[in-house]
Amino acid sequence: MSTAILTGPPVAGSPLEADLRTLGFDVRTANDAASAAELLAAVPAQERVAVVDPRFVGHLHALRLALTDPRFPAAAVPGALTAQPAARAALARAFGRIPVGAGTAHLTDVLTDTLTESLDREETGLHRVELGSLVATVALTPAQREDAREAVAAVDDEAVRLRTAVKSRDGFFTTYGISPYSRYLARWCARRGLTPNQVTTASLLTALIAAGCAATGTRGGFVAAGFLLLFSFVLDCTDGQLARYSLQYSTMGAWLDATFDRAKEYAYYAGLALGAARGGDDVWALALGAMVLMTCRHVVDFSFNEANHDATANTSPTAALSGKLDSVGWTVWVRRMIVLPIGERWAMIAVLTALTTPRIVFYALLIGCALAACYTTAGRVLRSLTRRARRTDRAARALADLADSGPLAELIAGRARGRGRTGSFLAPVMAFLSAAVLLVWVIFQDDPASWLTVGVAVCSALLAGAAVARPLKGALDWLVPPFFRAGEYVTILVLAARADVPGALPAAYGLVAAVAYHHYDTVYRIRGGTGAPPRWLVRATGGHEGRILVITVLAAALSPEGFTIALTALAVALALLVLIESIRFWVSSQAPAVHDEGEPA
């Protein structure tokens, strides 16, 4: 239950009280600031409280945005403000600072504005809602009230609500092929009491059914899989639009939305690989390669964004050119399509699944994603080299967490600390060498399943430790996590492929999927402002260098069949470990309520 306190001169015939009750508020009235403060003190501390001027005139959706959005501890529009439990104490102090006596009438004439200014000065995280074409005002005279009502009647707030339910920045296919009708599906869901999490779950189940259809290996199964994958994407757009339409944001929802996107896509890859195998075509290496490429590409995005999240003097000629291109209509869409965002990617996969073969699907996916990765990475390298930004300790910590270094790398880093200069190119060079030395060895050796490979893995771990010995504040230090991911994932792929026994590549697929989930989970925790997973979990998983050592030892010590069994067991153990801890964290997390509004994945 939430409580709204109406404080100010009453207005006969106003629909305000009915609107507040529609939004789920218990309405109480107060004659002045003192009685309003008493009502505030009587409301249980765990409840949301709103203070509204009875003379408020505006759209219902303006009130909804100001009073019901769970993402902000306090929010306001002219004539109305709200405080969640985290900001209740600040609101009480704001009431306590309101003076009484002669000469103070201007402070209580529009009490909500005075309280809003006071909350703003306290830095409570007050959110001032951007109204756009919506109306929210305090009408002090009958003439002002009439003008405000005419302004309200001139704008359809339901149309505004539907329009703003769509993400402001999205891909071409999503913007023109999905959102024009998925927003109405979101409204349909809202009117039937469905939640974004339920729609997200429905999207996941639809994608899993699509993967199952693809796994049949029949033409009918592939056609059904393509249609179901597209419908899953429609639902994927709908859940976010429903969250924005009904302001049902939540920490759990953000996690489910982000995590399920990856689970759906990678499960579909596995379904295609199983379907191809039924037809006598082994494409598990291509499926695993697609997952590796996609995950590494995402790590590049995450690392670059975290490195520059709060950098100062964060400008460059490349960024300026990018900004100019974004001001021209056709270049905006071309640049968004080049990066092959999730809408274009899933549409391509769905169409090719229905019309061609899994092998062609993976070839197209690998080529398209490789070109997109080269384009985005090259642009970000140029930006980093030409900008003069100061990276913060927070950014360095985030990159260190994304690096996922285990006990061995920590030990090496401790011994090497102080021998390099922060801000140089030493860290990315060491990380590149760490991955390159290992990959060149396992790719070009006739038999990489040997104890010599274990020795090379030890050298790789030494270089990895040297890469993270200093704070990652250099211009290109955001490349360190992607280099580590590529080294680990591709090593697993090559060793499984070279084992050349049935089941090795599917087992490697499961192992990389489990490790990738851990890395995605790290990103989402950092984005949510709760920090990386606990160090005990990182140590328990071995860190990237520890896992590489274990896998190379298993490959050297076991037969190909035994190596396959070991990979399967390792995949199950890691999956259970990271999933159980991740679910425990997100279910009990106190992270802010958010929803993914970032770049198309």
Side-chain angles (χ1 to χ4, degrees), residues 424-480:
S424 68
F425 295 116
L426 180 63
V429 168
M430 290 295 102
F432 171 78
L433 291 175
S434 172
V437 166
L438 183 61
L439 293 182
V440 169
W441 178 268
V442 297
I443 290 172
F444 293 104
Q445 278 296 304
D446 292 334
D447 182 17
S450 67
W451 292 105
L452 284 176
T453 303
V454 176
V456 175
V458 171
C459 294
S460 175
L462 291 171
L463 292 168
V468 296
R470 303 286 294 178
L472 299 176
K473 294 185 178 182
L476 296 179
D477 285 0
W478 56 270
L479 287 169
V480 170

Side-chain angles (χ1 to χ4, degrees), residues 64-145:
R64 181 182 290 108
L65 291 170
L67 305 185
T68 66
D69 196 327
R71 294 174 296 172
F72 310 106
V77 294
L81 75 143
T82 186
Q84 293 201 66
R88 284 279 303 275
L91 180 59
R93 289 193 297 271
F95 267 108
R97 284 193 291 268
I98 295 176
V100 295
T104 63
H106 67 287
L107 296 174
T108 56
D109 187 34
V110 184
L111 179 62
T112 52
D113 289 354
T114 301
L115 294 172
T116 298
E117 293 299 328
S118 182
L119 287 176
D120 211 1
R121 288 193 297 270
E122 280 212 29
E123 298 182 356
T124 57
L126 176 73
H127 172 64
R128 292 181 182 269
V129 177
E130 295 183 9
L131 292 171
S133 59
L134 296 175
V135 175
T137 187
V138 176
L140 301 179
T141 66
Q144 289 178 353
R145 176 168 293 276

